[in-house]
Amino acid sequence: METLMALVVGALFASGVYLMMRRSIVKLAIGLVLLSQSANLLFFTAAGLTRGSPPLVPEGETAPPVPFADPLPQALILTAIVIGFGVLAFTLVLVKRVYQTVGTDDLDEMRSTDT
Amino acid sequence: MSHDVLVALPIVIPLATAVITLFSYDSRAHQRIISTIGSGALLVAAIALLWTVNQDGILVSEMGDWPAPFGIAFVADLLSSLMVLMTGLTALTVSIYALGSMDPRRESFGFYPVFQILLMGITGSFLTGDVFNLFVWFEIMLIASFVLIALGGERPQLEGSIKYVALNLVSSMILLSAIGLLYGMAGTLNMGDLGLKLQDVDQPWLVTTVGTLFLVSFGIKAAVFPMFFWLPASYHTPPIAVTAIIAALLSKVGVYALIRAFTLIFTQETGYTHQIILVIAGLTMVTGVLGAVAQTEVRRLLSFHIISQIGYMLVGLALLSPLALAGSLFYVIHNMVTKTNLFLISGVANRLQGTYELKKLGSLYRYHPYVSVLFFVSALALAGMPPFSGFMAKLTLVRGSLEIEHYVIVAVALLTSMLTLFSMAKIWTEGYWTPSPAEVDGELPPGVEKFPGWTRQMVALFIPIIVLASLSVGMGILAQPVISLLVDTAEQLLDPGLYIEAVIGDEP
């Protein structure tokens, strides 16, 4: 399972980076989405995958029976997803405004502030 | 209990100010007053925090009374509280400056609330004791800075913010991945606990690999070589008050995160990682200043100087000696004061002559001598001439490096400061001494040469500049207390046991 997830994470990272290197700002935004998803998935995998054993404490016990799935990474990833969602919303609006103001979606045409 | 309040106040005050300014969204006048009061309160709270930390040692506040490492702890050691103090200082000065320089449209579209949210993100990053929480504060700070850079929607602003947003988000994703790997390795994200658990890990090279990811991520945020290209492409586009606050604080948050991570968490293979940091520091200094020498627009020129100065701030971290680290921290403080001031003064010059281009500026010394004196002080301070703050910072850093016999980095630092002096002299001669190209028969056209007079707006522009310039002089002349405080800070940083004991306590 970990191997499969590692491959998925790698593929997502690669496609995200590839899209960000394209000239279109829309592809840049999609690339950012893929990157953030792959980071979340990497977090999820690296923290350890445990199937079918929720961290529930049986009656009369004080700790869940080992091995149990660690709930903390899931909480953290949830936070990261929400943050990513907010940032994505901002990015999309920015992309639209840039397209309206500059009149093109080609990043190569946006060099006036470069040095 | 009161300690908990002290640690939380620098985060709560900007949040409360932002909320109150949002309530008075319709009234620009109210927002201006509230925002200035809020920034002032932040400065007062920061002074109280630093005072207490200096007296009583590291303060720890556990949110919701969950004991560390289970809950999220906020930790104020000397470094954190010093950075919060500098945030308060720059926040107040730039808030006052904004009163005189921000245009009504940007003000009525929420400049003040976003400004305060930015401050909250920055103080939060400085005070948190949890790596994931640091990521969250980074995002708060970033989204606020995105809005500040893009607010106004002019074409250069939008082009700059696309690059700024994209590269900073990549950096955040690298940080998130690194945090995930770190959690998989150590099972904790509390910085003190990480410092403890990673000491005796089986495969130190694995930790170093993750450490390198942190180095890349924080390096992008701090704008170090070779990852700084977003900075000169975006920092000069927004109004000067925004440029001043992000230039003073944002890249310093990256530097702070690097110092924190590589003195507390990744201390396993210091020979390897800190060698990399030393090389990066040298290259950052040189490339930054070479970029600045080539520029003829004041704001772009100053943006490149930010990069070059980041290099100085990393030298102490790379050398890990108390005196060198103290010198680097002095550089951080000195740079926050001086660089903010140079941006603010260039804003005044722009207001007087309507341009940032060196070729179009001129005759400022002839018609506005007091502006020139203020610029002169800050420019010499940036270049590290005695008796200003930059000189003492450089002296401490150079002495610290010589003591442990790193001669190459000393040579690079001194060469860089000569080039800095050269590019400051370029602004001085082109902007202040050469006759302005607008002059006809040795006289400026009527209306341009006159000082607008001491209107309330001009007073608001000049108060922060005078305060910052005198601070720059004061830190140079009365350097002893500053340096002894910074040496204490450096020693506290180089003994991570103090931090760990304060957060985790004595029990195993």
Side-chain angles (χ1 to χ4, degrees), chain A residues 13 20 36 39-40 42-43 46 70 72 76 83 87 90 94 98 101-102 110 112-115, chain B residues 132 139 146 153 155-156 158-159 161-163 169-170 173 176-177 180 183-184 189 233 236 300 304:
Chain A
F13 255 113
M20 288 193 71
S36 94
N40 290 337
L42 174 65
F43 199 145
D70 186 353
L72 186 65
L76 298 181
I83 293 174
V87 171
F90 177 83
L94 181 69
V98 168
T101 310
V102 183
M110 299 180 196
S112 68
T113 68
D114 283 2
T115 39
Chain B
F132 189 80
E139 294 299 302
F146 294 165
R155 180 174 167 163
L158 291 172
E159 288 188 15
S161 53
I162 272 280
K163 296 157 200 165
L169 287 183
V170 170
M173 287 314 126
L176 185 60
S177 313
Y183 183 78
L189 288 173
H236 62 91
R300 291 187 189 214
F304 269 105

mmCIF file of all heavy atoms in Angstrom, chain A residues 13 20 36 39-40 42-43 46 70 72 76 83 87 90 94 98 101-102 110 112-115, chain B residues 132 139 146 153 155-156 158-159 161-163 169-170 173 176-177 180 183-184 189 233 236 300 304:
data_model
loop_
_atom_site.group_PDB
_atom_site.id
_atom_site.type_symbol
_atom_site.label_atom_id
_atom_site.label_comp_id
_atom_site.label_asym_id
_atom_site.label_seq_id
_atom_site.Cartn_x
_atom_site.Cartn_y
_atom_site.Cartn_z
ATOM 1 N N PHE A 13 3.226 15.031 -7.753
ATOM 2 C CA PHE A 13 4.239 16.083 -7.640
ATOM 3 C C PHE A 13 4.788 16.431 -9.020
ATOM 4 O O PHE A 13 4.884 17.602 -9.408
ATOM 5 C CB PHE A 13 5.400 15.618 -6.744
ATOM 6 C CG PHE A 13 5.389 16.232 -5.380
ATOM 7 C CD1 PHE A 13 5.150 15.467 -4.257
ATOM 8 C CD2 PHE A 13 5.618 17.595 -5.223
ATOM 9 C CE1 PHE A 13 5.132 16.029 -2.999
ATOM 10 C CE2 PHE A 13 5.606 18.170 -3.973
ATOM 11 C CZ PHE A 13 5.360 17.378 -2.854
ATOM 12 N N MET A 20 3.183 23.755 -13.610
ATOM 13 C CA MET A 20 3.615 25.095 -13.192
ATOM 14 C C MET A 20 4.659 25.681 -14.127
ATOM 15 O O MET A 20 4.846 26.886 -14.180
ATOM 16 C CB MET A 20 4.196 25.042 -11.780
ATOM 17 C CG MET A 20 3.140 24.835 -10.738
ATOM 18 S SD MET A 20 3.800 25.152 -9.118
ATOM 19 C CE MET A 20 3.997 26.911 -9.167
ATOM 20 N N SER A 36 -0.492 20.890 -3.920
ATOM 21 C CA SER A 36 -0.984 20.895 -2.543
ATOM 22 C C SER A 36 -1.616 19.543 -2.219
ATOM 23 O O SER A 36 -1.451 19.033 -1.117
ATOM 24 C CB SER A 36 -1.931 22.072 -2.324
ATOM 25 O OG SER A 36 -3.251 21.687 -2.524
ATOM 26 N N ALA A 39 1.174 17.073 -1.523
ATOM 27 C CA ALA A 39 1.783 17.276 -0.211
ATOM 28 C C ALA A 39 0.905 16.669 0.882
ATOM 29 O O ALA A 39 1.398 16.019 1.807
ATOM 30 C CB ALA A 39 2.009 18.763 0.038
ATOM 31 N N ASN A 40 -0.423 16.874 0.752
ATOM 32 C CA ASN A 40 -1.327 16.285 1.749
ATOM 33 C C ASN A 40 -1.218 14.765 1.764
ATOM 34 O O ASN A 40 -1.157 14.135 2.822
ATOM 35 C CB ASN A 40 -2.773 16.677 1.434
ATOM 36 C CG ASN A 40 -3.023 18.133 1.680
ATOM 37 O OD1 ASN A 40 -2.300 18.763 2.452
ATOM 38 N ND2 ASN A 40 -4.017 18.689 1.026
ATOM 39 N N LEU A 42 1.273 12.942 0.778
ATOM 40 C CA LEU A 42 2.580 12.547 1.306
ATOM 41 C C LEU A 42 2.557 12.547 2.827
ATOM 42 O O LEU A 42 3.026 11.605 3.481
ATOM 43 C CB LEU A 42 3.649 13.513 0.792
ATOM 44 C CG LEU A 42 5.050 13.320 1.378
ATOM 45 C CD1 LEU A 42 5.610 11.987 0.955
ATOM 46 C CD2 LEU A 42 5.976 14.430 0.929
ATOM 47 N N PHE A 43 1.973 13.590 3.387
ATOM 48 C CA PHE A 43 1.827 13.694 4.842
ATOM 49 C C PHE A 43 1.081 12.462 5.361
ATOM 50 O O PHE A 43 1.521 11.782 6.303
ATOM 51 C CB PHE A 43 1.040 14.972 5.158
ATOM 52 C CG PHE A 43 1.192 15.466 6.566
ATOM 53 C CD1 PHE A 43 1.193 16.830 6.832
ATOM 54 C CD2 PHE A 43 1.322 14.600 7.635
ATOM 55 C CE1 PHE A 43 1.332 17.307 8.119
ATOM 56 C CE2 PHE A 43 1.456 15.070 8.927
ATOM 57 C CZ PHE A 43 1.461 16.424 9.167
ATOM 58 N N ALA A 46 3.260 9.287 4.974
ATOM 59 C CA ALA A 46 4.457 9.254 5.813
ATOM 60 C C ALA A 46 4.098 9.028 7.271
ATOM 61 O O ALA A 46 4.876 8.450 8.034
ATOM 62 C CB ALA A 46 5.231 10.558 5.662
ATOM 63 N N ASP A 70 -3.535 6.575 13.576
ATOM 64 C CA ASP A 70 -3.228 7.817 14.277
ATOM 65 C C ASP A 70 -4.157 8.927 13.765
ATOM 66 O O ASP A 70 -4.143 9.233 12.572
ATOM 67 C CB ASP A 70 -1.759 8.174 13.996
ATOM 68 C CG ASP A 70 -1.305 9.359 14.803
ATOM 69 O OD1 ASP A 70 -2.150 9.971 15.470
ATOM 70 O OD2 ASP A 70 -0.100 9.672 14.761
ATOM 71 N N LEU A 72 -4.130 12.137 14.458
ATOM 72 C CA LEU A 72 -3.554 13.477 14.384
ATOM 73 C C LEU A 72 -3.223 13.913 12.957
ATOM 74 O O LEU A 72 -3.613 15.001 12.538
ATOM 75 C CB LEU A 72 -2.317 13.568 15.284
ATOM 76 C CG LEU A 72 -1.738 14.978 15.389
ATOM 77 C CD1 LEU A 72 -2.717 15.913 16.068
ATOM 78 C CD2 LEU A 72 -0.426 14.973 16.141
ATOM 79 N N LEU A 76 -4.502 17.229 10.924
ATOM 80 C CA LEU A 76 -3.595 18.224 10.344
ATOM 81 C C LEU A 76 -3.853 18.389 8.858
ATOM 82 O O LEU A 76 -3.888 19.506 8.338
ATOM 83 C CB LEU A 76 -2.138 17.798 10.585
ATOM 84 C CG LEU A 76 -1.705 17.691 12.044
ATOM 85 C CD1 LEU A 76 -0.245 17.278 12.130
ATOM 86 C CD2 LEU A 76 -1.907 19.004 12.766
ATOM 87 N N ILE A 83 -6.886 25.286 4.335
ATOM 88 C CA ILE A 83 -6.006 26.403 3.980
ATOM 89 C C ILE A 83 -5.772 26.419 2.477
ATOM 90 O O ILE A 83 -5.868 27.455 1.816
ATOM 91 C CB ILE A 83 -4.662 26.279 4.729
ATOM 92 C CG1 ILE A 83 -4.862 26.479 6.220
ATOM 93 C CG2 ILE A 83 -3.661 27.288 4.200
ATOM 94 C CD1 ILE A 83 -3.615 26.241 7.028
ATOM 95 N N VAL A 87 -6.505 29.444 -0.206
ATOM 96 C CA VAL A 87 -5.439 29.998 -1.048
ATOM 97 C C VAL A 87 -5.800 29.818 -2.516
ATOM 98 O O VAL A 87 -5.593 30.713 -3.340
ATOM 99 C CB VAL A 87 -4.098 29.309 -0.704
ATOM 100 C CG1 VAL A 87 -3.045 29.701 -1.712
ATOM 101 C CG2 VAL A 87 -3.654 29.696 0.686
ATOM 102 N N PHE A 90 -8.226 32.423 -3.665
ATOM 103 C CA PHE A 90 -7.535 33.689 -3.929
ATOM 104 C C PHE A 90 -6.789 33.620 -5.262
ATOM 105 O O PHE A 90 -6.857 34.548 -6.075
ATOM 106 C CB PHE A 90 -6.563 34.011 -2.799
ATOM 107 C CG PHE A 90 -5.768 35.254 -3.041
ATOM 108 C CD1 PHE A 90 -6.302 36.495 -2.748
ATOM 109 C CD2 PHE A 90 -4.500 35.196 -3.593
ATOM 110 C CE1 PHE A 90 -5.594 37.642 -2.999
ATOM 111 C CE2 PHE A 90 -3.783 36.344 -3.846
ATOM 112 C CZ PHE A 90 -4.334 37.573 -3.544
ATOM 113 N N LEU A 94 -7.148 35.972 -8.542
ATOM 114 C CA LEU A 94 -5.969 36.708 -9.026
ATOM 115 C C LEU A 94 -5.721 36.405 -10.496
ATOM 116 O O LEU A 94 -5.480 37.318 -11.306
ATOM 117 C CB LEU A 94 -4.740 36.322 -8.187
ATOM 118 C CG LEU A 94 -3.452 37.025 -8.569
ATOM 119 C CD1 LEU A 94 -3.542 38.487 -8.198
ATOM 120 C CD2 LEU A 94 -2.258 36.392 -7.880
ATOM 121 N N VAL A 98 -5.643 39.119 -13.372
ATOM 122 C CA VAL A 98 -4.449 39.291 -14.193
ATOM 123 C C VAL A 98 -4.824 39.192 -15.669
ATOM 124 O O VAL A 98 -4.397 40.008 -16.495
ATOM 125 C CB VAL A 98 -3.382 38.237 -13.822
ATOM 126 C CG1 VAL A 98 -2.276 38.219 -14.856
ATOM 127 C CG2 VAL A 98 -2.807 38.534 -12.463
ATOM 128 N N THR A 101 -6.561 42.376 -16.729
ATOM 129 C CA THR A 101 -5.734 43.584 -16.757
ATOM 130 C C THR A 101 -4.650 43.504 -17.821
ATOM 131 O O THR A 101 -4.420 44.459 -18.564
ATOM 132 C CB THR A 101 -5.081 43.792 -15.380
ATOM 133 O OG1 THR A 101 -6.100 43.689 -14.391
ATOM 134 C CG2 THR A 101 -4.439 45.155 -15.286
ATOM 135 N N VAL A 102 -3.978 42.344 -17.882
ATOM 136 C CA VAL A 102 -2.856 42.224 -18.805
ATOM 137 C C VAL A 102 -3.345 41.857 -20.203
ATOM 138 O O VAL A 102 -2.705 42.185 -21.202
ATOM 139 C CB VAL A 102 -1.838 41.198 -18.271
ATOM 140 C CG1 VAL A 102 -0.621 41.106 -19.164
ATOM 141 C CG2 VAL A 102 -1.400 41.577 -16.872
ATOM 142 N N MET A 110 4.479 38.585 -19.154
ATOM 143 C CA MET A 110 4.368 39.332 -17.891
ATOM 144 C C MET A 110 5.739 39.584 -17.318
ATOM 145 O O MET A 110 6.042 39.243 -16.192
ATOM 146 C CB MET A 110 3.522 38.545 -16.897
ATOM 147 C CG MET A 110 2.140 38.306 -17.400
ATOM 148 S SD MET A 110 1.200 37.392 -16.224
ATOM 149 C CE MET A 110 -0.165 36.867 -17.248
ATOM 150 N N SER A 112 7.295 42.656 -17.238
ATOM 151 C CA SER A 112 7.651 44.070 -17.045
ATOM 152 C C SER A 112 8.205 44.338 -15.648
ATOM 153 O O SER A 112 8.926 45.303 -15.447
ATOM 154 C CB SER A 112 6.437 44.948 -17.286
ATOM 155 O OG SER A 112 5.489 44.738 -16.278
ATOM 156 N N THR A 113 7.890 43.466 -14.661
ATOM 157 C CA THR A 113 8.422 43.728 -13.328
ATOM 158 C C THR A 113 9.709 42.948 -13.069
ATOM 159 O O THR A 113 10.316 43.119 -12.022
ATOM 160 C CB THR A 113 7.406 43.356 -12.239
ATOM 161 O OG1 THR A 113 7.251 41.943 -12.238
ATOM 162 C CG2 THR A 113 6.087 44.022 -12.477
ATOM 163 N N ASP A 114 10.109 42.090 -14.020
ATOM 164 C CA ASP A 114 11.334 41.322 -13.795
ATOM 165 C C ASP A 114 12.561 42.210 -13.915
ATOM 166 O O ASP A 114 12.496 43.322 -14.420
ATOM 167 C CB ASP A 114 11.425 40.178 -14.810
ATOM 168 C CG ASP A 114 10.514 39.045 -14.423
ATOM 169 O OD1 ASP A 114 9.826 39.202 -13.408
ATOM 170 O OD2 ASP A 114 10.474 38.039 -15.135
ATOM 171 N N THR A 115 13.670 41.648 -13.445
ATOM 172 C CA THR A 115 14.874 42.460 -13.484
ATOM 173 C C THR A 115 15.909 41.814 -14.391
ATOM 174 O O THR A 115 15.902 40.635 -14.571
ATOM 175 C CB THR A 115 15.470 42.610 -12.080
ATOM 176 O OG1 THR A 115 15.333 41.381 -11.416
ATOM 177 C CG2 THR A 115 14.753 43.677 -11.339
ATOM 178 N N PHE B 132 3.745 22.446 12.834
ATOM 179 C CA PHE B 132 2.577 22.561 11.962
ATOM 180 C C PHE B 132 1.888 23.903 12.160
ATOM 181 O O PHE B 132 1.422 24.537 11.216
ATOM 182 C CB PHE B 132 1.596 21.420 12.224
ATOM 183 C CG PHE B 132 0.489 21.380 11.211
ATOM 184 C CD1 PHE B 132 0.707 20.805 9.971
ATOM 185 C CD2 PHE B 132 -0.738 21.949 11.471
ATOM 186 C CE1 PHE B 132 -0.289 20.808 9.014
ATOM 187 C CE2 PHE B 132 -1.734 21.936 10.516
ATOM 188 C CZ PHE B 132 -1.520 21.364 9.290
ATOM 189 N N GLU B 139 0.811 30.638 6.472
ATOM 190 C CA GLU B 139 -0.242 30.803 5.468
ATOM 191 C C GLU B 139 -1.052 32.062 5.745
ATOM 192 O O GLU B 139 -1.421 32.789 4.823
ATOM 193 C CB GLU B 139 -1.154 29.574 5.450
ATOM 194 C CG GLU B 139 -0.476 28.316 4.980
ATOM 195 C CD GLU B 139 0.051 28.425 3.563
ATOM 196 O OE1 GLU B 139 -0.733 28.697 2.648
ATOM 197 O OE2 GLU B 139 1.263 28.255 3.386
ATOM 198 N N PHE B 146 -0.349 38.520 0.135
ATOM 199 C CA PHE B 146 -0.872 38.450 -1.244
ATOM 200 C C PHE B 146 -1.829 39.607 -1.483
ATOM 201 O O PHE B 146 -1.755 40.307 -2.492
ATOM 202 C CB PHE B 146 -1.658 37.149 -1.475
ATOM 203 C CG PHE B 146 -0.856 35.888 -1.420
ATOM 204 C CD1 PHE B 146 -1.483 34.661 -1.304
ATOM 205 C CD2 PHE B 146 0.522 35.923 -1.484
ATOM 206 C CE1 PHE B 146 -0.766 33.487 -1.255
ATOM 207 C CE2 PHE B 146 1.259 34.746 -1.435
ATOM 208 C CZ PHE B 146 0.608 33.535 -1.318
ATOM 209 N N GLY B 153 -4.744 46.635 -7.796
ATOM 210 C CA GLY B 153 -4.953 46.037 -9.105
ATOM 211 C C GLY B 153 -4.275 46.716 -10.264
ATOM 212 O O GLY B 153 -4.747 46.622 -11.392
ATOM 213 N N ARG B 155 -1.364 47.084 -13.140
ATOM 214 C CA ARG B 155 -0.769 45.997 -13.919
ATOM 215 C C ARG B 155 0.541 45.474 -13.319
ATOM 216 O O ARG B 155 0.697 44.260 -13.166
ATOM 217 C CB ARG B 155 -0.570 46.459 -15.365
ATOM 218 C CG ARG B 155 0.027 45.356 -16.172
ATOM 219 C CD ARG B 155 0.134 45.670 -17.626
ATOM 220 N NE ARG B 155 1.025 44.632 -18.182
ATOM 221 C CZ ARG B 155 1.129 44.339 -19.449
ATOM 222 N NH1 ARG B 155 0.428 44.986 -20.320
ATOM 223 N NH2 ARG B 155 1.953 43.387 -19.843
ATOM 224 N N PRO B 156 1.505 46.338 -12.958
ATOM 225 C CA PRO B 156 2.744 45.787 -12.369
ATOM 226 C C PRO B 156 2.478 45.021 -11.083
ATOM 227 O O PRO B 156 3.097 43.976 -10.832
ATOM 228 C CB PRO B 156 3.596 47.025 -12.084
ATOM 229 C CG PRO B 156 2.993 48.124 -12.833
ATOM 230 C CD PRO B 156 1.569 47.791 -13.097
ATOM 231 N N LEU B 158 -0.176 43.273 -10.312
ATOM 232 C CA LEU B 158 -0.734 41.949 -10.593
ATOM 233 C C LEU B 158 0.339 41.025 -11.156
ATOM 234 O O LEU B 158 0.422 39.857 -10.782
ATOM 235 C CB LEU B 158 -1.908 42.075 -11.558
ATOM 236 C CG LEU B 158 -3.135 42.751 -10.941
ATOM 237 C CD1 LEU B 158 -4.182 43.019 -11.985
ATOM 238 C CD2 LEU B 158 -3.713 41.875 -9.840
ATOM 239 N N GLU B 159 1.179 41.557 -12.052
ATOM 240 C CA GLU B 159 2.243 40.714 -12.593
ATOM 241 C C GLU B 159 3.197 40.275 -11.492
ATOM 242 O O GLU B 159 3.612 39.116 -11.431
ATOM 243 C CB GLU B 159 3.026 41.489 -13.668
ATOM 244 C CG GLU B 159 2.254 41.671 -14.934
ATOM 245 C CD GLU B 159 3.124 42.259 -16.025
ATOM 246 O OE1 GLU B 159 4.344 42.258 -15.885
ATOM 247 O OE2 GLU B 159 2.556 42.726 -17.027
ATOM 248 N N SER B 161 2.475 40.003 -8.307
ATOM 249 C CA SER B 161 1.886 39.115 -7.312
ATOM 250 C C SER B 161 1.718 37.701 -7.856
ATOM 251 O O SER B 161 1.762 36.751 -7.080
ATOM 252 C CB SER B 161 0.574 39.668 -6.776
ATOM 253 O OG SER B 161 -0.285 39.978 -7.796
ATOM 254 N N ILE B 162 1.556 37.540 -9.178
ATOM 255 C CA ILE B 162 1.486 36.166 -9.717
ATOM 256 C C ILE B 162 2.767 35.401 -9.360
ATOM 257 O O ILE B 162 2.735 34.276 -8.860
ATOM 258 C CB ILE B 162 1.304 36.205 -11.253
ATOM 259 C CG1 ILE B 162 -0.169 36.283 -11.618
ATOM 260 C CG2 ILE B 162 1.893 34.982 -11.911
ATOM 261 C CD1 ILE B 162 -0.896 34.966 -11.572
ATOM 262 N N LYS B 163 3.906 36.051 -9.554
ATOM 263 C CA LYS B 163 5.176 35.367 -9.257
ATOM 264 C C LYS B 163 5.324 35.146 -7.758
ATOM 265 O O LYS B 163 5.746 34.088 -7.302
ATOM 266 C CB LYS B 163 6.348 36.207 -9.775
ATOM 267 C CG LYS B 163 6.331 36.340 -11.264
ATOM 268 C CD LYS B 163 7.084 37.555 -11.717
ATOM 269 C CE LYS B 163 6.638 37.915 -13.124
ATOM 270 N NZ LYS B 163 7.052 39.245 -13.514
ATOM 271 N N LEU B 169 3.726 29.750 -2.631
ATOM 272 C CA LEU B 169 2.902 28.561 -2.414
ATOM 273 C C LEU B 169 3.734 27.294 -2.610
ATOM 274 O O LEU B 169 3.562 26.322 -1.871
ATOM 275 C CB LEU B 169 1.694 28.574 -3.352
ATOM 276 C CG LEU B 169 0.625 29.591 -2.964
ATOM 277 C CD1 LEU B 169 -0.559 29.492 -3.901
ATOM 278 C CD2 LEU B 169 0.171 29.387 -1.530
ATOM 279 N N VAL B 170 4.622 27.301 -3.581
ATOM 280 C CA VAL B 170 5.505 26.138 -3.748
ATOM 281 C C VAL B 170 6.300 25.915 -2.462
ATOM 282 O O VAL B 170 6.416 24.795 -1.957
ATOM 283 C CB VAL B 170 6.456 26.348 -4.944
ATOM 284 C CG1 VAL B 170 7.509 25.265 -4.961
ATOM 285 C CG2 VAL B 170 5.679 26.340 -6.228
ATOM 286 N N MET B 173 4.213 24.299 0.111
ATOM 287 C CA MET B 173 3.966 22.879 -0.126
ATOM 288 C C MET B 173 5.191 22.043 0.250
ATOM 289 O O MET B 173 5.073 20.954 0.796
ATOM 290 C CB MET B 173 3.605 22.657 -1.604
ATOM 291 C CG MET B 173 2.227 23.157 -1.946
ATOM 292 S SD MET B 173 1.045 22.640 -0.710
ATOM 293 C CE MET B 173 0.320 24.166 -0.240
ATOM 294 N N LEU B 176 5.071 21.764 3.936
ATOM 295 C CA LEU B 176 4.061 20.807 4.401
ATOM 296 C C LEU B 176 4.565 19.376 4.218
ATOM 297 O O LEU B 176 4.417 18.541 5.121
ATOM 298 C CB LEU B 176 2.753 21.029 3.637
ATOM 299 C CG LEU B 176 1.573 20.190 4.093
ATOM 300 C CD1 LEU B 176 1.257 20.463 5.546
ATOM 301 C CD2 LEU B 176 0.351 20.477 3.239
ATOM 302 N N SER B 177 5.185 19.098 3.066
ATOM 303 C CA SER B 177 5.723 17.754 2.847
ATOM 304 C C SER B 177 6.784 17.427 3.891
ATOM 305 O O SER B 177 6.813 16.319 4.442
ATOM 306 C CB SER B 177 6.348 17.645 1.461
ATOM 307 O OG SER B 177 5.494 18.171 0.494
ATOM 308 N N GLY B 180 5.245 16.581 7.128
ATOM 309 C CA GLY B 180 4.695 15.236 7.100
ATOM 310 C C GLY B 180 5.766 14.184 7.331
ATOM 311 O O GLY B 180 5.604 13.270 8.145
ATOM 312 N N TYR B 183 6.907 14.196 10.890
ATOM 313 C CA TYR B 183 5.961 13.555 11.800
ATOM 314 C C TYR B 183 6.074 12.037 11.682
ATOM 315 O O TYR B 183 6.033 11.326 12.701
ATOM 316 C CB TYR B 183 4.536 14.008 11.491
ATOM 317 C CG TYR B 183 3.525 13.418 12.447
ATOM 318 C CD1 TYR B 183 3.386 13.948 13.724
ATOM 319 C CD2 TYR B 183 2.754 12.323 12.095
ATOM 320 C CE1 TYR B 183 2.495 13.404 14.617
ATOM 321 C CE2 TYR B 183 1.861 11.769 12.978
ATOM 322 C CZ TYR B 183 1.736 12.315 14.248
ATOM 323 O OH TYR B 183 0.865 11.759 15.130
ATOM 324 N N GLY B 184 6.225 11.558 10.442
ATOM 325 C CA GLY B 184 6.375 10.117 10.264
ATOM 326 C C GLY B 184 7.605 9.587 10.984
ATOM 327 O O GLY B 184 7.625 8.466 11.471
ATOM 328 N N LEU B 189 5.276 16.998 16.683
ATOM 329 C CA LEU B 189 5.559 18.209 15.916
ATOM 330 C C LEU B 189 5.906 19.376 16.819
ATOM 331 O O LEU B 189 6.138 20.479 16.353
ATOM 332 C CB LEU B 189 4.371 18.576 15.021
ATOM 333 C CG LEU B 189 4.191 17.626 13.834
ATOM 334 C CD1 LEU B 189 2.918 17.941 13.094
ATOM 335 C CD2 LEU B 189 5.371 17.718 12.889
ATOM 336 N N ALA B 233 11.175 40.851 -8.182
ATOM 337 C CA ALA B 233 10.137 40.957 -9.201
ATOM 338 C C ALA B 233 8.818 41.443 -8.632
ATOM 339 O O ALA B 233 7.919 41.820 -9.379
ATOM 340 C CB ALA B 233 9.938 39.608 -9.890
ATOM 341 N N HIS B 236 8.739 45.743 -5.386
ATOM 342 C CA HIS B 236 8.707 47.163 -5.703
ATOM 343 C C HIS B 236 7.386 47.608 -6.305
ATOM 344 O O HIS B 236 7.221 48.777 -6.606
ATOM 345 C CB HIS B 236 9.847 47.508 -6.664
ATOM 346 C CG HIS B 236 9.722 46.795 -7.968
ATOM 347 N ND1 HIS B 236 9.062 47.320 -9.035
ATOM 348 C CD2 HIS B 236 10.141 45.568 -8.361
ATOM 349 C CE1 HIS B 236 9.089 46.463 -10.041
ATOM 350 N NE2 HIS B 236 9.738 45.395 -9.654
ATOM 351 N N ARG B 300 13.702 49.004 -6.667
ATOM 352 C CA ARG B 300 14.312 47.731 -7.090
ATOM 353 C C ARG B 300 15.697 47.579 -6.489
ATOM 354 O O ARG B 300 16.089 46.492 -6.049
ATOM 355 C CB ARG B 300 14.432 47.699 -8.605
ATOM 356 C CG ARG B 300 13.108 47.596 -9.285
ATOM 357 C CD ARG B 300 13.334 47.406 -10.761
ATOM 358 N NE ARG B 300 12.075 47.513 -11.467
ATOM 359 C CZ ARG B 300 11.778 46.823 -12.549
ATOM 360 N NH1 ARG B 300 12.660 46.001 -13.050
ATOM 361 N NH2 ARG B 300 10.623 46.957 -13.134
ATOM 362 N N PHE B 304 17.029 44.525 -3.971
ATOM 363 C CA PHE B 304 18.196 43.655 -4.084
ATOM 364 C C PHE B 304 19.055 43.724 -2.828
ATOM 365 O O PHE B 304 19.679 42.730 -2.449
ATOM 366 C CB PHE B 304 19.020 44.037 -5.318
ATOM 367 C CG PHE B 304 18.609 43.288 -6.546
ATOM 368 C CD1 PHE B 304 17.871 43.901 -7.539
ATOM 369 C CD2 PHE B 304 18.944 41.958 -6.696
ATOM 370 C CE1 PHE B 304 17.478 43.203 -8.661
ATOM 371 C CE2 PHE B 304 18.560 41.252 -7.815
ATOM 372 C CZ PHE B 304 17.821 41.881 -8.802
#
